[in-house]
């Protein structure tokens, strides 16, 4: 077996200090962040620490082809030596695509989605990914998700050169996350962990990280409320990091595949869409991962798969709509959703081969 992840992790650090020591003496710098972050004190401190830099903040949630065209139009005018992305998965993915364009010499998004680019690694900027949500794990993976909202397709730009050089976790950046984002992020990390566990590409190292992620989430999800204690938040960030380390080597599987049309067609937040199918999939995959699950049951107060479902659902009750009908899906649309959920490179990773009827039954359960 092999496990590979080249990202250097800085955990529990002060972002302006770390970024300043890493990038102060590099040439042209680009920062990608949300508009909200660009108005914060942390951002001002960061800028004064690294000196001159260019900032792009026109970033869409679940970045579309159109929004990435804007980001590439911005990046095209520079020859950056370093790129710093501060934000959730959408911000980090946008910056990842811009960096890929820089060393692929292709600033046309359709070009990047097509045949492999001709890489000139001398133009590859140093890249620091600084998450401000604890779900996507994008700071630890080599791919970026592109949502084509016109054709209703989801793409992944994936390249071994696309791993960030640095993942920087500053706990203070997560403290003001709204409760809905906290749940959606946590559930995304929960899904990444299970998808790594029941994955055909799993190995003992990815299993270890996935198990740690699941245990931390099970022990903390019931403590999420309108405010989240510092200790709980730190454990949720750690859970997301472990989940990222796990699925960076396995990729995702059936739950994510099923979630894509739900997000593209009904705008269901990604973390919600990819976690709802976990519970019916747990029943399908249960036997194949029995030994792995027993390690989770031995270290948490959850003793069986029904307990996992109850734990999550009682934590989010009254906070988040958690059935697809509440997001506008009608029963007659389920066959079309089944059709749209078979993204080959993800569904095929599931440890149990899933038929059309299996997937239909998953949709019926989360309806
Ligand atoms: Fe995800």
């Amino acid at each position: 077996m092999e496990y590979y992840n080249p990202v250097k992790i800085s955990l529990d650090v002060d972002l302006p200090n770390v970024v300043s020591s890493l990038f102060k003496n590099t040439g042209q710098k680009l920062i990608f962040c949300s508009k909200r972050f660009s108005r914060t004190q942390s951002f001002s401190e960061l800028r004064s620490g690294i000196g001159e830099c260019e900032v792009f903040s026109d970033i869409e949630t679940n970045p579309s082809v159109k929004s990435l065209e804007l980001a590439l139009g911005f990046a095209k005018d520079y020859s950056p030596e370093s790129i710093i992305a501060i934000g959730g998965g959408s911000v980090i993915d946008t910056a990842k695509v811009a960096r890929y364009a820089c060393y692929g010499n292709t600033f046309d998004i359709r070009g990047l989605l097509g045949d492999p680019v001709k890489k000139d690694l001398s133009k590859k900027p140093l890249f620091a990914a600084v998450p401000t949500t604890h779900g996507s794990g994008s700071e630890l993976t080599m791919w970026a998700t592109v949502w084509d909202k016109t054709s209703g397709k989801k793409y992944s730009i994936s390249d071994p050169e696309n791993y960030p050089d640095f993942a920087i976790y500053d706990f203070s950046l997560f403290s003001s996350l709204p409760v809905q984002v906290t749940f959606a992020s946590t559930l995304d990390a929960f899904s990444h962990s299970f998808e790594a566990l029941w994955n055909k590409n799993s190995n003992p190292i990815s299993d270890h990280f996935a198990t740690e992620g699941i245990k931390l989430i099970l022990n903390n999800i019931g403590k999420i409320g309108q405010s989240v204690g510092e200790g709980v938040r730190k454990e949720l960030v750690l859970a997301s990091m472990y989940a990222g380390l796990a699925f960076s080597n396995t990729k995702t599987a059936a739950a994510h595949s099923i979630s894509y049309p739900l997000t593209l067609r009904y705008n269901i937040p990604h973390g919600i869409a990819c976690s709802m199918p976990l519970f019916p999939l747990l029943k399908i995959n249960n036997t194949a991962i029995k030994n792995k699950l027993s390690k989770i049951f031995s270290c948490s107060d959850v003793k069986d798969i029904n307990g996992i479902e109850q734990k999550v659902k009682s934590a989010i009750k009254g906070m988040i709509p958690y059935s697809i009908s509440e997001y506008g899906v009608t029963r007659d649309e389920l066959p079309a959703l089944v059709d749209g959920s078979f993204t080959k490179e993800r569904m095929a990773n599931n440890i149990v081969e899933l038929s059309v009827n299996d997937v239909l039954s998953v949709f019926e359960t989360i309806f």
Side-chain angles (χ1 to χ4, degrees), residues 188 192 256 270 274:
D188 192 14
H192 295 156
H256 273 67
H270 173 67
C274 69

Side-chain angles (χ1 to χ4, degrees), residues 135-137 145 187-189 191-192 195 247 252 256 259-260 270-271 274:
S136 80
T145 303
L187 291 170
D188 192 14
S191 186
H192 295 156
E195 296 265 80
F247 92 115
T252 55
H256 273 67
S259 81
Y260 295 133
H270 173 67
C274 69

Side-chain angles (χ1 to χ4, degrees), residues 61-62 184 187 273 302 341:
T61 303
N62 303 328
L187 291 170
V302 167
S341 69

